Amino acid sequence: MSDIACFTPRLSEAIRRQAAWIDRTEYNMEPPFSLPTSSSPTSRAWLRLGNKRTRIALESILLGMAIVWAVAWYSAPYLARDYINRGLSGLPDYTGRVERVRIHPLAASLDIYDIHLEKRAAEIPVSFFYSPRWTISLQWSEIFHGVQRASVVIDTPQMNFVAGPNPTQSQMYISMVWIDAIKQLIPWRVNRVQIHGGDVHFLDFHASPRMDLEVSQLELDAENMSNSQGLKVPLPATVKITARPLLTGTFVMNLAVNFDERFATFTQNFTMEHVPAIGANSALQKYYKIRAKSGELGLYSELTSDKGVYHGYVKPFFYRLEFEPNPSDEGNPGAAWSGLVNVVKGLFEDDNHVIATQSEISGRVDQPNIDAIGAIAGALRNAYIEALRTGFDPTHSPPKPTDTVTTPLTATTAKEAAAPSPAVKN
């Protein structure tokens, strides 16, 4: 009896607690311990959307769209690469290819990797052109001008011009068909082109020793090529080029041009200084059978063209040049040639051992003319009368173009564009 008496109060207390918990649940009170639920407002709203068949149909459509988007996303670069390669493979003389394409739809741009351009003849061991990366993008700044224009950035391109004994062993130029084909592959009209870290070689693998003239660290920035800003000026586009000829020289060119003119219309000036003469020894040995022992080269020029008619001048400087015979000619009559060149050179040097002259350039696109007699007279004048100064000559600056044909065309400029060029008149 004592055990039952002790158990009865504990049982009563348990019954009382259970009743209290039942009361709390009736008033929507949460129990002390509850399991988490996976239901959410979004999922409950989805479950209330139509019947089960409708939901399955909508889920199938969404899943199909996701699959199509994923397939398009991952296949688009390969389709773009194949499209570009097809466009570059069927053109004359040269063949081109790209290895990979990456598309950035949000930025409206694409990256093209490993661009090759090679001559079809297999006798040339180097490609004509190679660049590890091109970036083609929409110029958002030009959208505010109401036009869609592209910007092209070319990273570290390498270009090799090769001189050989016959056309199949040479690659000195490329047909305009290639330029037109590359322009067609770009979805927008190109307004700006930039080149960073370019490297250009002039090679002759059949010369002894092998000729290799290099222009390194090439930088180019061409802006407003399509005149997206609508400037009503004769030369709306600007181009600036800098480079290192023969590794240690300096080269700077400034160009203003109208790319929409049918005939060459531009103004340009360029400066080339501190070019080492010994860097051109491979060319001197091949073409003149001598070698430069010391000396530097400099060059200054201004040139304008108005619808294909040229005017300007070129002013070269040769500092402290000394020549020596080819190693193969030492000790034989061939060595006398370098001595004769040094004697003739001395006739044209001034007191500072500088040879300089200034020659006028004029003519038409199809009939260029350089005043050779004036160049010789200028060298003699520099040596014996008055030394030329380095830099540009403001007294001989050519006249600027008067052409006003720009894009977009007006009724007046369209009439000007249709007029024949003086460069093609008889």
Side-chain angles (χ1 to χ4, degrees):
M1 293 293 294
S2 59
D3 294 338
I4 295 175
C6 294
F7 178 74
T8 300
R10 290 196 295 271
L11 181 59
S12 300
E13 180 64 21
I15 293 172
R16 186 183 63 80
R17 290 181 179 180
Q18 182 66 22
W21 182 82
I22 293 173
D23 291 339
R24 285 197 300 270
T25 58
E26 291 179 354
Y27 289 96
N28 295 324
M29 298 180 64
E30 295 183 357
F33 302 99
S34 61
L35 296 175
T37 177
S38 60
S39 177
S40 65
T42 304
S43 62
R44 289 196 298 268
W46 174 254
L47 292 175
R48 289 196 300 267
L49 181 62
N51 54 30
K52 184 177 181 180
R53 180 175 297 179
T54 302
R55 292 195 299 271
I56 292 175
L58 291 176
E59 290 172 354
S60 300
I61 293 173
L62 293 175
L63 179 61
M65 293 175 61
I67 294 174
V68 170
W69 180 87
V71 171
W73 174 263
Y74 287 105
S75 63
Y78 299 99
L79 296 175
R81 181 199 61 186
D82 294 341
Y83 170 75
I84 293 173
N85 285 338
R86 283 195 302 270
L88 297 179
S89 63
L91 297 175
D93 300 329
Y94 291 81
T95 180
R97 73 180 190 277
V98 302
E99 301 295 339
R100 186 163 63 95
V101 174
R102 187 178 181 184
I103 301 175
H104 308 278
L106 296 180
S109 67
L110 68 155
D111 295 329
I112 304 175
Y113 295 92
D114 295 322
I115 300 96
H116 300 262
L117 185 58
E118 300 172 346
K119 194 167 186 179
R120 293 184 182 277
E123 302 180 39
I124 300 176
V126 294
S127 61
F128 180 74
F129 178 87
Y130 169 76
S131 175
R133 179 180 176 182
W134 283 28
T135 299
I136 303 172
S137 58
L138 184 65
Q139 272 193 301
W140 293 104
S141 60
E142 301 305 330
I143 295 294
F144 298 103
H145 292 102
V147 294
Q148 291 185 356
R149 295 292 183 263
S151 171
V152 179
V153 179
I154 304 174
D155 288 329
T156 58
Q158 300 173 13
M159 183 170 287
N160 298 297
F161 296 95
V162 179
N166 55 64
T168 61
Q169 296 173 312
S170 304
Q171 54 184 26
M172 296 299 298
Y173 65 93
I174 189 169
S175 171
M176 289 296 294
V177 175
W178 270 97
I179 298 177
D180 294 337
I182 293 174
K183 289 168 62 176
Q184 290 177 2
L185 295 174
I186 300 175
W188 308 287
R189 187 174 180 185
V190 175
N191 190 57
R192 184 177 187 183
V193 174
Q194 293 178 291
I195 295 176
H196 299 304
D199 198 19
V200 181
H201 290 261
F202 181 80
L203 300 158
D204 189 341
F205 296 102
H206 298 84
S208 181
R210 189 183 80 171
M211 184 170 63
D212 185 358
L213 306 180
E214 181 180 6
V215 177
S216 59
Q217 301 181 32
L218 175 67
E219 301 285 329
L220 180 146
D221 192 353
E223 295 191 30
N224 204 31
M225 295 173 61
S226 63
N227 196 13
S228 63
Q229 299 178 14
L231 300 178
K232 298 298 182 182
V233 296
L235 307 171
T238 59
V239 181
K240 182 172 183 179
I241 304 174
T242 62
R244 286 281 189 181
L246 302 181
L247 301 180
T248 61
T250 61
F251 176 86
V252 179
M253 173 184 282
N254 293 287
L255 177 71
V257 61
N258 187 348
F259 286 104
D260 289 311
E261 180 57 81
R262 292 185 299 166
F263 306 97
T265 302
F266 62 85
T267 64
Q268 67 116 72
N269 63 68
F270 71 84
T271 300
M272 186 167 61
E273 298 176 313
H274 309 299
V275 180
I278 59 175
N281 270 342
S282 57
L284 292 173
Q285 287 180 260
K286 177 181 178 180
Y287 296 109
Y288 301 104
K289 309 303 179 185
I290 54 174
R291 286 168 51 89
K293 185 177 181 180
S294 63
E296 288 186 351
L297 287 71
L299 188 65
Y300 307 88
S301 178
E302 291 184 282
L303 185 66
T304 66
S305 176
D306 192 349
K307 286 192 174 182
V309 179
Y310 293 90
H311 296 282
Y313 66 87
V314 60
K315 187 161 65 168
F317 284 78
F318 305 90
Y319 304 94
R320 300 174 297 280
L321 283 177
E322 290 292 336
F323 297 102
E324 61 183 6
N326 290 333
S328 59
D329 292 333
E330 292 182 0
N332 59 52
W337 170 240
S338 63
L340 179 61
V341 172
N342 281 323
V343 170
V344 174
K345 170 187 68 69
L347 298 176
F348 292 92
E349 285 184 333
D350 61 16
D351 295 337
N352 296 318
H353 302 286
V354 177
I355 301 175
T357 188
Q358 184 167 315
S359 178
E360 299 299 319
I361 302 174
S362 61
R364 308 186 321 191
V365 176
D366 56 342
Q367 296 178 357
N369 177 49
I370 298 178
D371 187 3
I373 296 177
I376 296 174
L380 293 173
R381 177 182 176 85
N382 173 79
Y384 299 104
I385 300 176
E386 182 182 6
L388 287 172
R389 295 184 179 182
T390 58
F392 301 117
D393 186 351
T395 63
H396 285 74
S397 295
K400 294 183 179 180
T402 57
D403 174 40
T404 58
V405 179
T406 58
T407 301
L409 296 178
T410 64
T412 302
T413 58
K415 183 178 179 180
E416 293 177 4
S421 168
V424 296
K425 289 182 179 180
N426 295 324

